[in-house]
Amino acid sequence: MSDIKHRAPRVGLASLGCPKALVDSELIVTQLRAEGYDIGASYQDSDIVIVNTCGFINSAIEESLETIGEALNENGKVIVTGCLGANAATITTEYPNVLAVTGPHALQEVMTAVHTHLPPSHDPYISLIPPQGIKLTPRHYAYLKISEGCNHRCSFCIIPQLRGDLDSRPIGDVLQEAENLVNSGVRELLVISQDTSAYGVDVKYRTSFWNGRPVKASFEELCRELAQMDVWVRLHYVYPYPHVDKIIPLMNEGGLLPYLDIPFQHASPTILKAMKRPAHSENVLKRLQQWRQVCPELAIRSTFIVGFPGETADDFEQLLDFLQEAQLDRVGAFTYSAVDGAPANKLPNPVAEEIKQERLERFMAVQADISAARLQRHIGTRMTVLVDAIEDDAIIARSYADAPEIDGQVIINDVNGTGQALEVGSFIEVEIISADEHDLYAEQIA
C-alpha cells in the first residue's frame, strides 16, 4: 500500500497517426517526465490516459474513436489531444465523459489538463531528463520535426485547418536538437514536417546562431548542416520545388541519404487541378530524370490517391503510365476518403467504392512489378545497412532506400549466429544475394 501511496503519478499514452504526431507525443512524454510523472505501461496501470489522435482520413478517425473508447473502458480518466481534437464535438458527442480535448501540437493545454486532474508530485531526481528528451522510437533512429502547419490548400486535406499555416522552427533549435540526438546514440535522423522543402519560407530564411556562427533557416542550409553530423539523414514530405535541385549533389557526398519522400498524389493534370496541386507530371518526370543523372543511386518514395472525385478511366490510365515512366522505388496508395471539412467533398462525379478498390488493386499490381525490378538491380552489389533487429537466424536491417516501418528491409542470413555479437543500431557491410518486390536478402561481409 505504501508503494502505491508514495509512487509518482502515472500517465498512460496512446499515440496514433503519423510521425509528426509521434513527435508531439515525445514532447508530451518529455514534459511529463520533467515534471516527475511516470509513464504507465498499460491503461490499467495508469492513473490517467492521454490519447493522441489522428483525424486525416475516415479510417484514422474511426481508429482514434475506438482507442478513446478502450481507454475510457479500461481506465475511465482520459485526456484527448491531436488532430481529431481540433473537431472536439466529434469526440465529445460520442464520449462526453472525457476529461479534456485539445487540438494538435498543444503541449501546454495537455499539461494544464494533466495538472488539473492529476497534480504532479515533485522529485528533483525523477525530474532530470536527458538533453534529447524522451523518445518513443528505438534508440538508433529519431524523427526531427522542423516545422508545423502548411501553406498549401489541397482540396482533399484538412491539415491546415488542424495545424495551421507553415510555422518553421528556428534553425539553431533544430540543429541543437539534432546534435543532442546524435550525442545520445541516434544513428539516423528522419526529417519531417508537413512541407519539408518549404522550411524557412514563412520566416524569410531568418538567420540565427548555432555553435557561435550564423546559419540561415533555409531548406538547403539545413540539409548541409545535418549532412555533416556523421549520421544518416533521411528527408520526408519533400515537395519538388525548384530549389530541391540544389540538395541532390549533397546526396553523393555521404550523410544526406540519396532518398526523397515526395507525395505526388496523382499524375493526371485534370485531377491535380481538382486536388489544387500545382505540379505537372511531365515536369516531374523531367526533374526525376535530371536528379538521377546527378545522383544515380537516388531512391524515390511517393504516395498516391486513387478514386478522387471526377477521376475517369482515362485519368487513371494516365496515372498508370506515369508509374511506368517514373519508375519509383517505393510507393504507397489509398483510395479517396471524404474527410469532414475537406473541399473535395463538394466536387461532382464521385467514384463508386467498388471502382476505387479495383483501381487500387491494379495500381499496386503495376507498382509491385516496378518495385521488384528496381530491387533486382542491387543483386550482386555491396551496401552499408543499419541494423534494426537481431533474431535467432537473421539480422534485420535497412538500406539507404528504406525508411523504418514504411519501406522494405534487408534480411541477412545468420544461421551461424554471428549477429549476436552486433548491436542494434550498428552499420554493417553486406552483399545482396536476392530480392523480391519488397525486401532485399543479403550476406554479411566479414
Side-chain angles (χ1 to χ4, degrees):
M1 180 67 70
S2 60
D3 287 344
I4 295 175
K5 181 177 180 181
H6 295 293
R7 71 166 171 78
R10 191 171 292 161
V11 181
L13 176 69
S15 185
L16 307 173
C18 65
K20 294 177 285 295
L22 182 66
V23 172
D24 288 348
S25 293
E26 290 173 340
L27 293 173
I28 292 169
V29 171
T30 297
Q31 188 62 35
L32 287 168
R33 293 293 287 121
E35 295 185 14
Y37 290 93
D38 279 344
I39 307 303
S42 67
Y43 294 147
Q44 299 93 333
D45 187 44
S46 305
D47 300 309
I48 199 170
V49 174
I50 298 170
V51 179
N52 190 1
T53 60
C54 180
F56 184 54
I57 58 177
N58 285 344
S59 60
I61 293 172
E62 291 169 5
E63 181 186 15
S64 293
L65 291 173
E66 288 175 5
T67 302
I68 295 167
E70 290 172 2
L72 284 169
N73 289 335
E74 297 183 34
N75 182 283
K77 297 180 179 180
V78 176
I79 295 167
V80 180
T81 187
C83 287
L84 186 59
N87 299 314
T90 302
I91 297 165
T92 55
T93 298
E94 187 157 350
Y95 301 113
N97 52 336
V98 296
L99 300 178
V101 179
T102 83
H105 200 54
L107 174 62
Q108 293 309 314
E109 291 90 335
V110 171
M111 293 308 303
T112 297
V114 172
H115 296 157
T116 300
H117 299 284
L118 187 66
S121 58
H122 181 72
D123 183 321
Y125 296 102
I126 293 175
S127 298
L128 293 174
I129 59 172
Q132 73 273 12
I134 308 297
K135 312 308 290 182
L136 300 177
T137 51
R139 183 173 180 268
H140 62 290
Y141 69 82
Y143 294 102
L144 180 68
K145 184 158 65 170
I146 63 174
S147 65
E148 272 291 347
C150 181
N151 287 342
H152 290 298
R153 293 297 182 265
C154 301
S155 63
F156 56 83
C157 182
I158 59 171
I159 292 298
Q161 299 173 37
L162 301 176
R163 292 182 174 263
D165 290 336
L166 180 68
D167 183 11
S168 299
R169 295 177 59 195
I171 192 168
D173 292 355
V174 174
L175 294 175
Q176 187 60 59
E177 180 182 347
E179 184 176 73
N180 291 343
L181 289 167
V182 173
N183 289 340
S184 75
V186 166
R187 308 303 294 145
E188 178 181 13
L189 295 170
L190 298 107
V191 180
I192 59 170
S193 67
Q194 300 300 144
D195 185 356
T196 295
S197 43
Y199 175 72
V201 170
D202 57 313
V203 295
K204 296 183 170 61
Y205 311 112
R206 181 184 302 144
T207 297
S208 58
F209 285 83
W210 183 65
N211 283 350
R213 57 188 176 83
V215 285
K216 279 201 312 182
S218 71
F219 176 64
E220 181 183 359
E221 193 147 342
L222 176 65
C223 289
R224 290 187 182 279
E225 294 291 341
L226 292 175
Q228 297 177 46
M229 291 195 174
D230 197 30
V231 295
W232 278 6
V233 178
R234 189 181 302 276
L235 301 176
H236 286 277
Y237 314 113
V238 176
Y239 194 85
Y241 303 117
H243 65 261
V244 174
D245 296 353
K246 297 178 181 178
I247 63 105
I248 304 300
L250 292 177
M251 296 178 175
N252 290 319
E253 300 171 9
L256 191 65
L257 292 178
Y259 176 102
L260 285 176
D261 173 8
I262 305 175
F264 291 127
Q265 308 298 8
H266 214 280
S268 160
T270 300
I271 299 302
L272 288 170
K273 183 177 180 180
M275 288 179 168
K276 295 190 176 178
R277 304 280 292 181
H280 297 285
S281 59
E282 60 271 20
N283 295 339
V284 167
L285 291 169
K286 184 178 179 181
R287 298 281 296 292
L288 292 179
Q289 183 181 29
Q290 292 171 342
W291 290 347
R292 284 169 171 156
Q293 287 174 349
V294 174
C295 181
E297 295 302 310
L298 179 63
I300 304 286
R301 136 166 286 281
S302 190
T303 52
F304 295 86
I305 299 172
V306 300
F308 192 79
E311 182 189 69
T312 64
D314 181 63
D315 292 322
F316 181 66
E317 290 299 329
Q318 291 180 56
L319 178 55
L320 296 183
D321 289 344
F322 174 83
L323 283 184
Q324 295 287 8
E325 291 198 56
Q327 292 289 297
L328 304 176
D329 298 87
R330 303 292 192 184
V331 167
F334 54 92
T335 60
Y336 173 74
S337 174
V339 180
D340 288 345
N345 298 345
K346 300 177 182 179
L347 292 174
N349 303 317
V351 179
E353 286 299 323
E354 59 271 21
I355 296 177
K356 289 182 188 178
Q357 291 299 326
E358 184 270 336
R359 289 178 181 174
L360 179 62
E361 291 173 8
R362 287 182 59 199
F363 178 98
M364 294 310 298
V366 169
Q367 181 57 40
D369 290 341
I370 294 170
S371 295
R374 299 286 294 176
L375 289 174
Q376 289 288 323
R377 299 176 308 126
H378 295 295
I379 295 175
T381 66
R382 294 188 173 193
M383 303 181 78
T384 300
V385 298
L386 180 61
V387 175
D388 277 340
I390 299 169
E391 300 180 351
D392 290 340
D393 59 356
I395 302 167
I396 309 301
R398 288 181 292 108
S399 75
Y400 74 90
D402 303 308
E405 299 185 351
I406 58 172
D407 293 328
Q409 298 174 322
V410 181
I411 301 168
I412 303 147
N413 179 36
D414 189 38
V415 292
N416 297 323
T418 56
Q420 301 303 315
L422 294 173
E423 291 185 1
V424 170
S426 301
F427 289 110
I428 61 173
E429 296 296 314
V430 300
E431 182 173 346
I432 307 303
I433 57 175
S434 64
D436 57 26
E437 64 189 45
H438 298 295
D439 302 317
L440 295 172
Y441 299 84
E443 292 181 345
Q444 186 176 359
I445 300 172

